[in-house]
Amino acid sequence: GDSLKNDTQPAMLSPKEIVLPRSVTMAPDAPEKAYEFVAALLKKQGHGNSKHHKEFHKALKDEILSRKA
């Protein structure tokens, strides 16, 4: 599950990189869940309406649509 006690691997992340929770990556609708996770993170950080956010949304939406085709 998503718990700090399960966070056993050190992650050497560059600034602004994130690690998606297992519940997101293993979900049947993983791309949608990833978008929701990142959107919530950006909103929490005050970047919910930024140009980057809109570009990310478009790229992820395009990828989701290409996989459904």
Side-chain angles (χ1 to χ4, degrees):
D2 297 332
S3 170
L4 289 178
K5 68 181 179 182
N6 296 329
D7 191 7
T8 61
Q9 298 299 314
M12 302 302 288
L13 303 176
S14 296
K16 299 189 181 189
E17 286 185 331
I18 62 169
V19 174
L20 295 173
R22 182 186 322 223
S23 61
V24 170
T25 61
M26 299 303 289
D29 57 344
E32 290 92 346
K33 294 292 185 192
Y35 169 76
E36 292 168 2
F37 181 85
V38 174
L41 185 61
L42 289 171
K43 185 175 181 180
K44 182 178 177 182
Q45 295 176 351
H47 302 293
N49 292 319
S50 71
K51 179 182 176 187
H52 176 74
H53 173 78
K54 291 175 186 173
E55 290 172 355
F56 173 79
H57 178 261
K58 182 182 179 326
L60 189 54
K61 184 177 179 182
D62 291 347
E63 180 63 24
I64 291 168
L65 292 175
S66 73
R67 290 181 183 209
K68 289 183 178 180

